[in-house]
Amino acid sequence: MNYLKYLCWALLLAFVTSCSKDDIIPEEGETDPPQGGGDQTLSAVLPKKELRGVWMTTVWGIDWPMGEYSAVAQKKLYTDYLDLLADYNMNAVFFQIRSMADAFYESQYEPWSKYITGNAGTKPTYDVLKFLIEEAHKRGIQFHAWLNPYRIATRASKTASFPQLDAKIPAELVKDYEKIRVYNPALPEVQTRIADIVKEIITKYDVDGIHMDDYFYPSLEPSETMNDAAEYQQYGKDAFKSVEEFRRNNVNSVVRNIQKTIMETRPEVIFSISPAADIERNYNTLFADVKTWAKEGWVDVVIPQLYFATGTEVTSFNLRLDLWSQYTYDNHLLIGYGIYKFGDPQYGSKFQSSDDLKKQFDLAGAKSKVKGSVLYSAKSLLDNKVGISDAVEGIYKQPVLLPYLGRGVAELPATPVNVTLNGSGLSWEAVAGVTRYAIYKDNGKGKEALLVGTTWETSFKLSEKGTYFITSLAKNNAESKVSASVVY
C-alpha cells in the first residue's frame, strides 16, 4: 500500500511539473506578462517587412500630371494614384520632383517645372511638393524625392535648339551635346550645387528619402565624345591615371556630397540610387561606380533596374538578381521591376502575360537580402495591360510594414504597455516619440502572426476573436519588441 501511495504521488507531481506555461490558456481579457522587455510568451513570428514602391515619372508628364494644368485635376490624379497604391497594400512612392534642372517647389537654384503649369518658371497656385508629401503620409505611404542630377534639357537633334536657359542656372556650369544639355559633371561648382539643391529640399520639406536613378554621365551619340579634355587637364591630370578614373571620381564626389549633406542636415532621410542593371555599363559608360558606393556605404539603398524576363541569358532577371545580391555589401537591396514592358509586343513572349512577374517576385523573395520592390512606372498600374495590375494586387495581397532602411543597427522604440481589452477593441498607453502602432493577431507559437493593421491612435477595434499583441513604430520604421498579448 505504501508503495502504491508513493507511486501515485510521484505520478501526480510529474504531471504538474510537465505542464508548461504555454499550456495554460488565459481567461478572456487576461494578458500574459511580457518577457525580455516585451516579448510575448507565445513567441509568434512577425511577418517579413518590405518596401513596396512605385516610380512616378513627371518628365514629359508621363505618369503625372499627364498634361493636366489645373490644380484640381492634378490633385485628383495624384490622390487617385495614392488610393490605388493603398488598395494594393503598397507603402512608398518615388516621385520625380526634379527631372530637367527644374523644381516642383520654390527653389533658389532652379525654375518651377514646366510640367506643372505648361510654362517653365511659372509658379503654380498651390505648394505642389507639400501637397504631394502630406497626401502620401496621410495614407501611411513614404515619399521619396526623385532627382536627376545633371540633365537640364533635351532636343531632337543638334540642328534643333535647346530651350532658353533659365537665369537661375549659370551658363558657365552647362555643357551641350547633340541631344542633351547637362550640368558639367567635371566642375567642382556643379558637384557642390547638386548637394546644395538636396539640402534645400530636405530642409524645407518632410521627404522620407532622396532618390537618384541611372542618369549620370550622359549616354552620347556614336558621332560624339565626352569633350572634357580641358576639365581633365585642369582638375584631374595630376591626380588620376586616366580620364575615365577622373569621370568616376566626379560622380563619386556628388554621391559623397549628398550623403554628407543628408547626415549633417537630416540624418533620418534615406538616400537611394537605382542603377542600370548592367554593372559594366554603369562603370564604363555612365561612370557610376556603384560597387564602390555600396562598399563604402555612401548610399543607403541600391535598387537595380532588373527590367528583364526570367531565363538563362546573361541579361535574364534571375542572373542579374544573383549578381546584384553579391555587390550591395551592407546596403539595403530593393529590386526594380519593369512592369511597363508587360503587354508590349516589342519585349518578347514572356511579357505578353503577367505570369513572369510572379516568377520574378518569387526569385527575389528567396533572397534574404532583398527588402522590397519598386515598380516602373505608375501609369502601368492604371493601364493594366495583360492584367499586370491584377498580378501586382495578388503579389501584395497581405499588408506589410516598411523595413528599417537606415544606417547601422536601429535603436528600437519602447514597447507598448498596459495593453487591455475594452469591449471589442484594444487600448494601451501612448509611447513617447513613436509615429504609429502595429496590431498583430497571433496564430500560435512558431507560426507567422497576421498584421491586422496600423494606427496613430492608442486604441484599435477588433473584428474577430483571437489573441492579439501590438508594437510601436518609430519614424524610421524601427519596430519595438512585442507587447503582452490579449485574448479577445
Side-chain angles (χ1 to χ4, degrees), residues 6-32:
Y6 290 138
L7 179 61
C8 290
W9 276 109
L11 290 173
L12 179 62
L13 180 63
F15 173 78
V16 171
T17 56
S18 69
C19 291
S20 71
K21 190 174 187 302
D22 289 345
D23 295 319
I24 300 172
I25 301 174
E27 297 294 329
E28 184 172 328
E30 180 184 349
T31 60
D32 293 327

Side-chain angles (χ1 to χ4, degrees), residues 411-413 433-436 472-480:
E411 181 179 345
L412 304 186
V434 305
T435 57
R436 287 179 300 149
S472 58
L473 304 171
K475 184 174 175 57
N476 63 6
N477 299 305
E479 184 175 26
S480 74

